[in-house]
């Protein structure tokens, strides 16, 4: 499965954990709207002084500038410890293109100073955690999205309670979700109840997405209780969901 990479001439510093907007062009054959929520590598190209792979983020949304140009919003940026030299000759234009999964793995491994990614139940590094947990959850749930219970090749580990809000970097603090329900989950458009029942704010979600919810009305989990998501993390997420719902008067 291909990955995404953004080539851009950086004219400002990036901040760890932040969200940044980038102007760029895209291949008309590449549908970015269908890939919201996916991981994306940020690479800095000339004439910026910092050249190479600099960060990993999440493709959050798309918009336009005042002149009709494309803007991409990349969230949850995680800076690599150091800028990594390019594997191949980089693009010379500011653009988003596809990257092979093999090259993606090489870049992530190099960012961690190791030759390959070790599968571990916990990690101190957010970049490797997302990558590890996506692979781990994909295996545990046979690549079935926890929102829809439908097989997917684009599933991503989506954090339930962020580390800066008291969450832990452990696989139990993540759900395996298709990109679109994943983005909506992180925006608190839906959550899960005490018995893993899916709770939706219909005002914050398109009907066609709501219609894909698992027919049982519950998160799609497997029989191994040890692999289930952290109930305390879900309780925190649920509190945020209802706080936002109440603030809008939509109980």
């Amino acid at each position: 499965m291909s990955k995404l990479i953004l080539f851009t001439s950086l004219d400002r510093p990036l901040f760890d954990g932040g969200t940044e907007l980038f102007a760029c062009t895209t291949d008309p054959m590449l549908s970015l709207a269908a890939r919201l929520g996916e991981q994306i590598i940020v690479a800095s190209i000339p004439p910026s002084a910092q050249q190479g792979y600099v960060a990993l983020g999440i493709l959050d949304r798309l918009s336009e500038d005042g002149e009709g140009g494309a803007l991409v919003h990349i969230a949850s940026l995680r800076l690599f410890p150091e800028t990594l030299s390019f594997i191949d000759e980089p693009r010379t234009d500011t653009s988003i293109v596809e990257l092979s999964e093999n090259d993606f793995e090489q870049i992530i491994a190099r960012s961690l100073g190791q030759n390959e990614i070790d599968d571990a139940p916990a990690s101190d590094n957010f970049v490797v955690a997302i990558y590890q947990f996506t692979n781990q959850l994909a295996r545990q749930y046979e690549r079935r999205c926890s929102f829809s219970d439908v097989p997917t090749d684009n599933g991503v580990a989506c954090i339930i309670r962020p580390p800066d809000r008291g969450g832990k970097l452990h696989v139990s603090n993540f759900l395996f979700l298709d990109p679109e329900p994943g983005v909506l989950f992180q925006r608190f458009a839906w959550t899960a109840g005490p018995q893993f029942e899916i709770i939706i704010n219909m005002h914050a979600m398109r009907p066609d997405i709501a219609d894909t919810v698992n027919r049982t009305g519950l998160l799609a989990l497997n029989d191994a209780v040890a692999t289930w998501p952290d109930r305390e993390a879900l309780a925190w997420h649920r509190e945020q969901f209802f706080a936002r719902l109440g603030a809008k008067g939509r109980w």
Side-chain angles (χ1 to χ4, degrees):
M1 183 179 67
S2 67
K3 301 291 186 178
L4 297 173
I5 183 168
L6 164 72
F7 291 103
T8 184
S9 180
L10 286 177
D11 56 2
R12 63 193 185 277
L14 302 179
F15 295 97
D16 200 52
T19 297
E20 293 283 346
L21 276 67
F22 300 92
C24 72
T25 60
T26 61
D27 185 332
M29 299 298 292
L30 181 61
S31 175
L32 289 183
R35 302 187 68 164
L36 296 180
E38 289 192 24
Q39 295 173 317
I40 183 169
I41 286 176
V42 178
S44 180
I45 58 175
S48 59
Q50 189 180 34
Q51 297 173 20
Y53 308 110
V54 296
L56 178 70
I58 301 295
L59 184 62
D60 186 51
R61 62 191 182 93
L62 310 173
S63 63
E64 291 186 356
D65 60 23
E67 300 177 353
L71 292 173
V72 293
H73 301 239
I74 297 182
S76 303
L77 278 169
R78 296 297 162 176
L79 305 184
F80 296 148
E82 61 182 19
T83 301
L84 305 173
S85 58
F86 288 114
I87 296 173
D88 298 312
E89 192 69 23
R91 296 283 290 256
T92 57
D93 57 330
T94 56
S95 59
I96 291 181
V97 296
E98 291 185 302
L99 181 72
S100 74
E101 190 165 10
N102 182 62
D103 284 349
F104 180 90
E105 290 176 353
Q106 284 188 49
I107 294 166
I108 297 300
R110 285 171 58 201
S111 78
L112 302 167
Q114 60 190 66
N115 293 324
E116 58 184 29
I117 303 295
D118 299 318
D119 188 18
S123 172
D124 294 328
N125 184 296
F126 194 86
V127 172
V128 69
I130 296 292
Y131 188 75
Q132 287 176 332
F133 299 155
T134 292
N135 289 340
Q136 187 170 342
L137 290 170
R139 290 196 300 271
Q140 288 177 351
Y141 292 100
E142 298 179 338
R143 296 190 175 276
R144 302 184 76 86
C145 171
S146 291
F147 180 81
S148 65
D149 196 27
V150 173
T152 175
D153 289 327
N154 298 316
V156 175
C158 295
I159 197 158
I160 301 170
R161 184 173 185 174
D164 61 358
R165 304 296 298 277
K168 55 188 177 182
L169 282 180
H170 190 275
V171 69
S172 63
N173 191 28
F174 291 78
L175 294 178
F176 185 70
L177 300 169
D178 250 330
E180 196 149 18
V183 168
L184 292 169
F185 181 76
Q186 293 177 331
R187 292 179 181 170
F188 302 101
W190 67 277
T191 190
Q195 303 303 318
F196 302 120
E197 62 271 25
I198 295 173
I199 305 168
I200 293 173
N201 176 5
M202 292 299 296
H203 296 280
M205 185 181 297
R206 298 200 320 264
D208 60 316
I209 300 300
D211 287 346
T212 66
V213 69
N214 185 10
R215 65 182 184 279
T216 67
L218 306 174
L219 289 177
L221 306 176
N222 61 31
D223 293 335
V225 176
T227 67
W228 289 1
D230 187 319
R231 290 181 183 272
E232 291 186 6
L234 282 175
W236 175 89
H237 190 278
R238 192 162 56 249
E239 288 175 2
Q240 308 309 305
F241 172 87
F242 282 114
R244 285 162 175 75
L245 202 62
K248 295 178 180 178
R250 293 170 179 168
W251 290 93

